[in-house]
């Protein structure tokens, strides 16, 4: 082998990535809209100065290479400061999911070995509830706007005030941990993943590509996805590297205030889960012409399946383009993206829409395959269903300090996602279900995702989740939980008539439940386990 003659040892670090935003795009703004409606706005130059102060403060508090620094914060500029400062000081940013139960938070903070916590004052009562289980936390830094930090805690602003703008950080190895996240633990105990500097930098480069999220300096991006959920899908890193402006809604995720922000700040990109976008779509439908979204070039929707009807309505009625993304906490998170390829431009509108409603094909350096129960790799025929496996430089190769889940990693180096999918000849992945949500009726698969997407296209349906009901003869049969738009209630037969032309007869739900709202997980996905628990025995009589 003749080795390359390049500087292959130049480390890919987050510090370099953040320095770029702070240095080259010092004038670009970062905006936070607080709960009371007031707006905090400053520029990347100020941001970067404060990041260096925070990194100094963390070092002074004893944060060393590999120390875990937890955050318990909403989406705002100071949380974004921690995103940069903790890894710069050599630490690992551990974003705690504030929607989890205190028992889980205690377990996670303890398992991760968090030693410092940065917390919003509004979330101190939550911290009080798991503090006992997270005894390793020796320093608590409180982000408080008006009131002083409580006794025994440090005040975030006071800490920054005392520090210098010059930060001479420790050397960083690109393979060392920079950030960590836990899965929400819908099956078993939450599991942790540690993202290295290298994996996050590579993920950022791939995510920014024009054919991925296409993020560039001109963008103004609304971060609806929580910053504790897979690093807000990596968007803060994309923004810092390119100098794109970030707009944080703090904690107010109601559709109308979000739309006000999107219009007022001339946003170009927004990212969030389908349930948020469903609310936004309804608000736009109810108030035509109220918001000027002409600057918005794309919305990135992922985290659970995006109904085809949603993609269609956004585009047809409001001129808003939806790009669906698939990913997991374990994939940093971007894995696949749904983009119309060049040769698909000539397809009929309907066929193109169908392609966009799949989870799309892999971003560069992520490999996809799907396997049957016996572990045989399946053909990309668009029909064969099997478990999706992925591998790549930003896919977890193991969980943090966890021996129980090693069966999620195959001996030949792939990660088993737990998603049941078909892959077509274009390489486009179509998710039929998560393995734990699968409905098997008389031994045959029924895709809950396809049924609920079809139901959500019905004009009177706002949200629908299809789940397995236990059945004396067929083991399981599909049940549909439906939230209707205000006004008329369709007969159950009407919904069956609507679905009938699109599906085999045995796929049609045995019954419908009309609910005021659907149970959601901590990141806003339908919580089918809760539906199964409550209504799963309905058909047993
Ligand atoms: P949680 O397990 O708490 O939901 P993750 O964010 O890691 O946390 O969830 C990853 C899962 O979300 C994937 O395995 C998949 O089931 C689902 N998912 C993510 N994006 C999509 C998408 N575009 N379409 C369908 N399912 C998706």
């Amino acid at each position: 082998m003749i080795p390359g003659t390049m500087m292959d040892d130049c480390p890919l670090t987050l510090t370099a990535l953040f320095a770029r935003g702070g240095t080259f795009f010092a004038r670009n703004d970062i905006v936070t809209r607080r709960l009371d409606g007031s707006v905090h706005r400053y520029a990347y130059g100020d941001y970067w100065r404060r990041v260096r102060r925070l990194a100094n403060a963390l070092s002074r508090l004893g944060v060393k290479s590999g120390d875990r620094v937890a955050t318990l914060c909403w989406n705002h500029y100071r949380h974004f400061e921690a995103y940069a400062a903790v890894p710069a000081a050599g630490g690992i940013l551990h974003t705690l999911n504030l929607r989890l139960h205190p028992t889980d938070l205690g377990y996670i903070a303890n398992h991760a070995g968090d030693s410092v916590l940065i917390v919003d004052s509004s979330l101190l009562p939550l911290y009080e509830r798991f503090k006992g289980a997270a005894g390793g936390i020796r320093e608590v830094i409180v982000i408080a706007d008006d009131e002083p930090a409580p006794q025994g805690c440090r005040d975030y602003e006071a800490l920054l005030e005392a520090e210098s703008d010059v930060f001479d950080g420790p050397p960083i190895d690109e393979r060392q941990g920079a950030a960590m996240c836990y899965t929400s633990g819908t099956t078993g105990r939450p599991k942790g993943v540690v993202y290295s500097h290298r994996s996050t930098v590579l993920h950022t480069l791939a995510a920014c590509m024009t054919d991925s999220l296409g993020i560039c300096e001109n963008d103004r991006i609304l971060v609806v996805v929580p910053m504790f959920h897979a690093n807000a899908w990596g968007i803060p890193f994309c923004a810092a590297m390119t100098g794109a402006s970030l707009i944080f809604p703090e904690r107010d995720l109601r559709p109308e205030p979000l739309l006000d922000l999107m219009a007022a700040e001339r946003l170009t990109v927004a990212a969030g889960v389908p349930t948020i976008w469903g609310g936004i779509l309804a608000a736009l439908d109810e108030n035509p012409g109220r918001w000027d979204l002409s600057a918005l070039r794309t919305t990135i929707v992922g985290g659970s399946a995006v109904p085809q009807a949603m993609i269609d309505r956004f585009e047809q009625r409001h001129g808003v383009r939806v790009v669906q993304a698939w990913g997991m906490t374990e994939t940093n998170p971007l894995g696949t993206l749904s983009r119309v390829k060049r040769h698909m431009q000539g397809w009929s509108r309907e066929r193109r829409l169908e392609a966009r409603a799949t989870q799309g094909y892999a971003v560069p350096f992520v490999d996809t395959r799907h396997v049957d129960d016996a572990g045989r790799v399946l053909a990309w025929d668009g029909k064969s269903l099997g478990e999706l496996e992925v591998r790549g430089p930003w896919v977890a190769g193991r969980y943090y300090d966890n021996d129980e889940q090693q069966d999620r990693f195959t001996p030949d180096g792939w990660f088993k996602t737990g998603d049941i999918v078909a892959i077509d000849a274009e390489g486009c992945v179509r998710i039929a279900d998560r393995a734990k949500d699968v409905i098997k009726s008389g031994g045959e698969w029924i895709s809950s995702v396809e049924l609920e997407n079809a139901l959500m296209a019905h004009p009177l349906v706002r949200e629908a989740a299809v789940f397995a009901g236990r059945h004396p003869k067929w083991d399981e049969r599909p049940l549909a939980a439906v939230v209707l738009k205000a006004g008329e209630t369709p007969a159950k037969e009407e919904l069956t008539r609507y679905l009938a032309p699109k599906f085999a007869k045995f796929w049609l739900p045995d019954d419908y439940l009309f609910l005021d709202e659907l149970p959601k997980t901590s990141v806003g996905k339908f919580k089918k386990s809760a539906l199964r628990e409550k209504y799963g025995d309905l058909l047993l009589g």
Side-chain angles (χ1 to χ4, degrees):
M1 178 186 86
I2 299 179
T5 63
M6 312 314 285
M7 298 185 187
D8 293 325
D9 294 331
C10 263
L12 303 174
T13 67
L14 286 185
T15 317
L17 184 152
F18 280 104
R20 190 164 193 271
T23 311
F24 292 141
F25 310 109
R27 293 159 187 247
N28 292 0
D29 59 344
I30 298 166
V31 181
T32 302
R33 202 239 355 246
R34 302 193 184 95
L35 194 56
D36 64 6
S38 64
V39 169
H40 175 275
R41 187 186 305 271
Y42 68 164
Y44 265 101
D46 300 323
Y47 165 78
W48 185 230
R49 194 172 43 78
R50 285 171 54 89
V51 165
R52 284 174 287 169
R53 286 175 173 241
L54 177 58
N56 274 326
L58 292 171
S59 301
R60 196 177 305 280
L61 291 178
V63 171
K64 299 178 306 304
S65 181
D67 285 354
R68 273 76 74 206
V69 177
T71 58
L72 190 63
C73 299
W74 298 102
N75 284 16
H76 51 62
Y77 68 99
R78 285 149 163 160
H79 202 175
F80 184 41
E81 289 168 358
Y83 262 56
V86 173
I92 299 180
L93 174 87
H94 177 201
T95 47
L96 289 166
N97 178 343
L98 53 87
R99 299 217 186 269
L100 293 183
H101 191 274
T103 315
D104 283 332
L105 281 167
Y107 168 81
I108 290 172
N110 185 46
H111 185 266
D114 296 334
S115 58
V116 175
L117 172 73
I118 301 176
V119 52
D120 284 354
S121 58
S122 62
L123 293 166
L124 273 170
L126 174 60
Y127 171 53
E128 287 297 326
R129 295 180 62 196
F130 69 87
K131 183 173 164 181
I137 296 179
R138 57 177 176 79
E139 291 285 353
V140 178
I141 303 171
V142 179
I143 296 178
D145 268 323
D146 309 318
E147 69 280 29
Q151 197 89 40
C153 301
R154 298 184 188 265
D155 180 80
Y156 185 92
E157 288 302 324
L159 272 183
L160 265 62
E161 191 93 337
E163 295 296 338
S164 147
D165 290 353
V166 182
F167 176 65
D168 192 12
I172 304 282
D173 181 326
E174 65 175 24
R175 287 171 191 267
Q176 82 185 57
M180 78 190 294
C181 269
Y182 278 71
T183 62
S184 59
T186 31
T187 46
R189 283 289 203 182
K191 303 172 289 288
V193 176
V194 180
Y195 308 122
S196 62
H197 280 257
R198 174 189 156 84
S199 75
T200 309
V201 167
L202 290 173
H203 178 270
T204 307
L205 289 167
C208 284
M209 281 174 42
T210 309
D211 283 337
S212 297
L213 308 181
I215 289 173
C216 63
E217 195 250 340
N218 245 329
D219 276 323
R220 302 179 62 72
I221 311 171
L222 180 68
V223 192
V224 188
V225 50
M227 292 173 82
F228 54 75
H229 186 210
N231 289 331
W233 299 350
I235 288 169
F237 302 115
C238 295
M241 187 180 75
T242 57
S245 286
L246 285 176
I247 320 300
F248 296 110
E250 206 172 62
R251 57 191 288 186
D252 190 353
L253 301 185
R254 289 170 303 152
E256 300 206 351
L258 283 180
L259 280 159
D260 289 343
L261 197 56
M262 285 157 85
E265 291 292 335
R266 305 282 302 151
L267 295 182
T268 60
V269 177
V273 291
T275 44
I276 295 274
W277 288 104
I280 288 182
L281 183 59
L284 284 171
D285 284 350
E286 282 154 24
N287 304 276
R290 176 162 154 199
W291 292 282
D292 173 8
L293 300 183
S294 54
L296 192 65
R297 78 177 161 73
T298 193
T299 61
I300 302 149
V301 189
S304 46
V306 187
Q308 184 172 325
M310 181 185 280
I311 301 176
D312 193 23
R313 284 178 196 158
F314 261 117
E315 196 159 287
Q316 289 281 84
R317 296 190 195 156
H318 309 292
V320 173
R321 191 170 171 75
V322 173
V323 173
Q324 169 160 206
W326 170 90
M328 304 180 72
T329 301
E330 290 90 335
T331 65
N332 213 348
L334 194 56
T336 70
L337 265 170
S338 194
R339 289 239 171 236
V340 174
K341 296 183 193 175
R342 192 194 309 180
H343 74 94
M344 297 175 179
Q345 304 290 352
W347 288 3
S348 69
R349 190 168 177 281
E350 185 63 20
R351 202 167 155 212
R352 265 184 291 139
L353 255 180
E354 274 170 24
R356 287 173 57 201
T358 70
Q359 281 64 35
Y361 50 95
V363 293
F365 305 112
V366 171
D367 293 330
T368 47
R369 70 179 187 188
H370 64 321
V371 302
D372 66 12
D373 286 346
R376 278 183 299 254
V377 176
L378 296 167
W380 289 12
D381 58 10
K383 291 195 296 280
S384 315
L385 286 176
E387 182 174 1
L388 177 65
E389 297 183 348
V390 293
R391 67 175 179 197
W394 52 87
V395 176
R398 63 190 155 85
Y399 287 114
Y400 174 70
D401 192 16
N402 180 324
D403 294 330
E404 288 158 31
Q405 301 280 339
Q406 291 317 325
D407 58 346
R408 298 286 300 273
F409 305 93
T410 70
D412 61 340
W414 295 70
F415 167 66
K416 294 157 80 77
T417 64
D419 285 336
I420 305 300
V421 307
I423 305 182
D424 69 16
E426 300 286 349
C428 288
V429 171
R430 184 171 44 80
I431 294 196
D433 263 307
R434 297 184 87 162
K436 60 182 191 291
D437 294 332
V438 150
I439 307 171
K440 254 191 174 174
S441 170
E444 297 283 342
W445 296 89
I446 294 176
S447 164
S448 65
V449 172
E450 281 181 44
L451 283 169
E452 56 208 26
N453 284 353
L455 276 171
M456 283 190 270
H458 189 285
L460 298 181
V461 173
R462 174 166 285 184
E463 285 181 340
V466 174
F467 61 100
R470 281 174 279 276
H471 192 276
K473 180 166 175 206
W474 302 110
D475 283 340
E476 289 177 349
R477 291 290 304 147
L479 290 171
V482 175
V483 178
L484 295 168
K485 291 184 185 156
E488 263 174 283
T489 309
K492 294 177 179 177
E493 297 73 42
E494 148 67 14
L495 292 178
T496 298
R497 254 199 313 278
Y498 182 76
L499 294 177
K502 304 182 180 82
F503 298 101
K505 195 151 177 271
F506 83 95
W507 275 45
L508 301 175
D510 274 22
D511 206 351
Y512 299 86
L513 303 156
F514 296 113
L515 305 180
D516 290 337
E517 60 178 330
L518 297 181
K520 310 250 167 68
T521 70
S522 61
V523 290
K525 308 182 188 191
F526 297 144
K527 197 171 183 179
K528 296 192 198 175
S529 55
L531 288 169
R532 259 200 323 269
E533 220 163 275
K534 196 151 177 203
Y535 305 106
D537 289 341
L538 202 74
L539 303 171
L540 296 179

